[in-house]
Amino acid sequence: MTSRLIPILTVVAAIIAFWYAATVWMNSAWEYDQAERISKPAPTLMQLIPKTMQQERPVLPAPHQVVEEIWKTTVEKKVTSKRSLIYHAWITLSSTTVGFLFGSLLGIVLAAAIIHVKSLEKSMMPWIISSQTIPILAIAPMIIVVLNALGVQGLFPKALISAYLSFFPVTVGMVKGFRSPDTAHLDLMHTYNASAAQIFFKLRWPSAIPFLITSMKVAIAASLIGAIVGEMTLSQDGGVGARLLNGSYYGQTMMIWSALIMAAAMAGTLVALIGVAGQIVNKRMGANP
């Protein structure tokens, strides 16, 4: 455990130190401008450092300012308040989860169809790959507008955007996973006169589980990005994306950074949960630790 923590903590300490140095550098221009306006001498470095870390609307807030903002918007606010970061995180998590589940299911179904119908690989895979070349920032507003015109609002449009991003890694990973069994194992199943369904559920599906876990880790992060992008289009519904957008509108950099940290924490937690679930599944299936 110590051998793992030391490198991680070293990198974190380096990032924080660089962050503080960048805070002084980027916020110092405003302090020099203020001193010039009131005809005061330019502040010395020792005077400049605390001032750059106490500005109400800094260009780059200091790490402790971001921590204070997160504390105020999580612990000191009711979770039902629209000023609570937990309230907005829950909205984002709801869209992410629904989109991830739908996208993962779609990816598994497409992968199963591709390995059983050879013509689908040549006809469908190019379109699946091409779908990911379209920038999500361009397609998200189109999806929102079309669904609003059809009277579909709320959670579903954002979940659909999440599913659009999350189905691709699952599809690609599961195609490779379903094809991972050895030829000798497949020949043995054919020798036993096993049906296609028996081969799929008794051989291909267990072999594909490690690929599924890995692809789901990528998919959940992509799903979170899709939910945030959708919220930036539907900002009135709330969410971490709406928090980012409102912060940029009103120049509230601490709001932006607190939302970014929350999004990163959510992504790390979701990926870790899938990793733990994967370890449990692999252990139940008798995989080596």
Side-chain angles (χ1 to χ4, degrees), residues 169-209:
V170 175
T171 303
V172 175
M174 290 304 286
V175 167
K176 186 173 180 62
F178 287 145
R179 288 177 174 168
S180 62
D182 294 335
T183 304
H185 294 162
L186 290 171
D187 291 341
L188 181 62
M189 294 293 287
H190 289 302
T191 302
Y192 291 152
N193 198 28
S195 64
Q198 289 174 325
I199 294 175
F200 180 81
F201 288 108
K202 293 183 180 296
L203 180 60
R204 292 190 186 274
W205 178 255
S207 300
I209 291 298

Side-chain angles (χ1 to χ4, degrees), residues 174 177-178 204-214 278 281-282 285:
M174 290 304 286
F178 287 145
R204 292 190 186 274
W205 178 255
S207 300
I209 291 298
F211 295 86
L212 176 62
I213 299 301
T214 302
V281 172
N282 288 330
M285 293 178 66

Side-chain angles (χ1 to χ4, degrees), residues 123-147:
S123 62
M124 188 179 294
M125 280 301 290
W127 290 105
I128 293 174
I129 296 172
S130 299
S131 69
Q132 301 303 300
T133 63
I134 303 173
I136 190 61
L137 288 174
I139 198 173
M142 297 170 58
I143 295 175
I144 299 297
V145 169
V146 171
L147 292 178

Side-chain angles (χ1 to χ4, degrees), residues 20 35 56 120 132 143 145 153 210 232 238 253 258 260 273:
Y20 271 113
E56 291 185 5
L120 287 181
Q132 301 303 300
I143 295 175
V145 169
Q153 299 178 354
M232 294 179 75
T253 52
S258 62
L260 284 173
L273 288 175

Side-chain angles (χ1 to χ4, degrees), residues 23 33 46 68-69 82 90 128 134 136 150 168-169 200 204 211 225 242-243 268 275:
T23 299
D33 183 65
M46 297 306 296
E68 289 175 2
E69 178 68 16
K82 291 187 177 181
W90 173 253
I128 293 174
I134 303 173
I136 190 61
L150 296 175
F168 176 74
F200 180 81
R204 292 190 186 274
F211 295 86
I225 293 172
R243 191 92 173 164

